[in-house]
Amino acid sequence: MLIKRKSIEQAESSRRPSRKPKFAPVTLSEQDGVRYLHFGTEWVQGAMRIRKPDWPELEYAQQMMAWMLFIEQPQAIAQLGLGAATLTKACYRQFPEATVTAVELNPAVVAICNTMFKLPPEDERLQVLEMDAMDFVLDEANHGAFDVLQCDLYDATARGPVLDTPEFYQACNACLSEHGVMTVNLFGDHPSFNKNIKAMRFAFDHVICLPEVHEGNVVALCFRTKPDLDPARLAARAAQIVAATKLPAKSWVKGILNA
């Protein structure tokens, strides 16, 4: 059977193109007892205090845990973008009843987290997947599977999240359980911010932004269903979190109520 070349080209162009990323080099720096992850630039992609490897050192990473105000005992947590494994380690240690899945496209990041950032070995609760986050959230096997998604997807240029479309955030929503929450790291003073917020509000019932930290980072909380924002309840829950983890949950409440 003969097939016209043009028809073949049309069929090929209609398929979703496979991503063949070219990764920037993974580099490290250390200062004052803190080890930093970079992708060959001055931009910090993650950090770990060497004497406290499971502590979220950076304030934005602490804010990425603000979903704890609404979900006390998660059963399944996913991290999109491994970074320095900060959130993966914190969730793995803090919630022993939960499964923790990290999704990372760059194999060098996974390797450096294993060797230099004390990522625990995989077991029945911890899974590290080397794959595209978009493919992960589009996989129907993951739909409805997670109570929490934590999204921190940046490349070496740090010009904004590498996945930022309404379709991506809709797929993230689909991966959440009924009252699931997603936290996303954004740059508040970058043109990508408004684009992401618009896409999130299209995909989620309710979106709240915490106050900016680190001269740019803004963490957004995306809720599948409208959250309980009762001040007394939030204050009581924040006190529990502070007592159990020393995370600055009271400041999260202040930011949420003032949003």
Side-chain angles (χ1 to χ4, degrees), residues 21-41:
K22 295 181 180 179
F23 300 116
V26 176
T27 53
L28 302 175
S29 65
E30 288 187 16
Q31 183 176 354
D32 299 328
V34 178
R35 182 173 295 155
Y36 297 95
L37 175 70
H38 310 268
F39 293 160
T41 71

Side-chain angles (χ1 to χ4, degrees), residues 2 18 32 39 69 150 174 225 241 245 252:
L2 297 177
S18 60
D32 299 328
F39 293 160
L69 292 168
Q150 299 172 123
T225 55
I241 294 170
T245 69
W252 305 343

